[in-house]
Amino acid sequence: MNEHIVRQLREAAEAHQPDRARMLARVQRGAAGPAVRHRARSGLRSWPRVALACLATAGILATGGLAVAGIAPWTPPPSDTTTTVPDAPSSTVTPTPTRSAPPTAAPAPATTAPHASSPAGPRPSPSASSRAQNGPLWSEGSIDPHSTVYWSQSNLTLRTAQPLTSLSVELRIAQTGEVRDTGNWRTLPSEDFTVTVQETGGTLVYRWVLKPGRTVPAGQHEFAGQYNHATGVRGSANDGYRVDAQSAGGPASVWGGFGPAR
């Protein structure tokens, strides 16, 4: 029974909502006039002492809460008003259309000058007037690809399968207009040959003769004659070469013309 009363008193104290204005008015009236003694109700004498103690405790708690409420400053509740921040402007940038450049006209085809090393005619085919191979010898004549419309070089490639104890090489360049010697060279040692250059009967002749006692080893060797000529692509149809040699197998000779370089 006592626990039931205590629980009811506790629930009543927790659910109690003090009237702050009324209580302040009573406090003020009590401070202004003489104390008024109230007759306790007879019904309270019949309650057990434990209930009286709980009632007194609840009264003290209510009075303490009222006093604290009167002392503590009143803080207004936070405003429900929210500040709306405007959205930032979109960062999307609309691309500015650019004007395309006008189409460029196709360049006019360039006029290509004929290659300086091109001969006036087709490469001469083997015939009775040429013999590129004989015995241990093999030969080929060509116009150097670095020749120009002012200057040319005639090359002779000579291969021998055996050492040569005698050798005579001759290049003949027809006089086609302003043909003049500008030099010559060979891959064999220069001190092994006697070299002469002369113009005879309208032909510029380069001649290399192996000196007595010297030997040409087996292998590939080069001979070249260089010359100026009249401006333009020079024809080499009337040019030619001849090689006479001696080896252990006997004499051998080759001859032919100059075609375009391969």
Side-chain angles (χ1 to χ4, degrees), residues 135-151:
L137 301 181
W138 177 92
S139 63
E140 181 180 43
S142 63
I143 301 299
D144 192 271
H146 297 95
S147 300
T148 69
V149 294
Y150 309 103
W151 173 91

Side-chain angles (χ1 to χ4, degrees), residues 79-105:
S79 175
D80 293 337
T81 305
T82 58
T83 303
T84 303
V85 180
D87 295 337
S90 175
S91 60
T92 304
V93 179
T94 303
T96 302
T98 57
R99 180 177 298 177
S100 59
T104 304

Side-chain angles (χ1 to χ4, degrees), residues 39-262:
R39 181 178 297 179
R41 296 180 182 180
S42 58
L44 294 175
R45 295 177 182 178
S46 64
W47 287 10
R49 294 181 179 180
V50 176
L52 293 175
C54 293
L55 182 59
T57 302
I60 292 171
L61 292 174
T63 306
L66 178 61
V68 171
I71 296 172
W74 178 77
T75 303
S79 175
D80 293 337
T81 305
T82 58
T83 303
T84 303
V85 180
D87 295 337
S90 175
S91 60
T92 304
V93 179
T94 303
T96 302
T98 57
R99 180 177 298 177
S100 59
T104 304
T111 302
T112 305
H115 197 282
S117 62
S118 301
R123 182 186 181 90
S125 58
S127 62
S129 60
S130 65
R131 185 169 69 179
Q133 186 171 0
N134 178 235
L137 301 181
W138 177 92
S139 63
E140 181 180 43
S142 63
I143 301 299
D144 192 271
H146 297 95
S147 300
T148 69
V149 294
Y150 309 103
W151 173 91
S152 294
Q153 175 176 300
S154 296
N155 299 328
L156 171 63
T157 300
L158 177 66
R159 298 176 189 169
T160 176
Q162 299 177 1
L164 304 177
T165 56
S166 173
L167 177 64
S168 174
V169 177
E170 185 176 278
L171 305 185
R172 303 177 65 86
I173 309 301
Q175 181 58 262
T176 55
E178 304 179 19
V179 174
R180 298 289 183 272
D181 169 52
T182 59
N184 63 88
W185 57 267
R186 87 272 92 220
T187 55
L188 291 167
S190 58
E191 60 270 17
D192 289 354
F193 290 87
T194 300
V195 182
T196 59
V197 180
Q198 60 182 358
E199 185 172 350
T200 305
T203 302
L204 183 62
V205 181
Y206 297 86
R207 184 179 290 113
W208 293 265
V209 178
L210 185 66
K211 295 179 179 179
R214 308 296 175 91
T215 302
V216 173
Q220 178 171 305
H221 312 290
E222 303 286 338
F223 296 84
Q226 302 169 331
Y227 46 90
N228 289 333
H229 55 76
T231 303
V233 178
R234 180 183 175 276
S236 60
N238 296 322
D239 300 344
Y241 68 87
R242 181 180 177 90
V243 178
D244 297 301
Q246 181 74 38
S247 66
S253 297
V254 290
W255 59 83
F258 298 95
R262 295 183 181 180

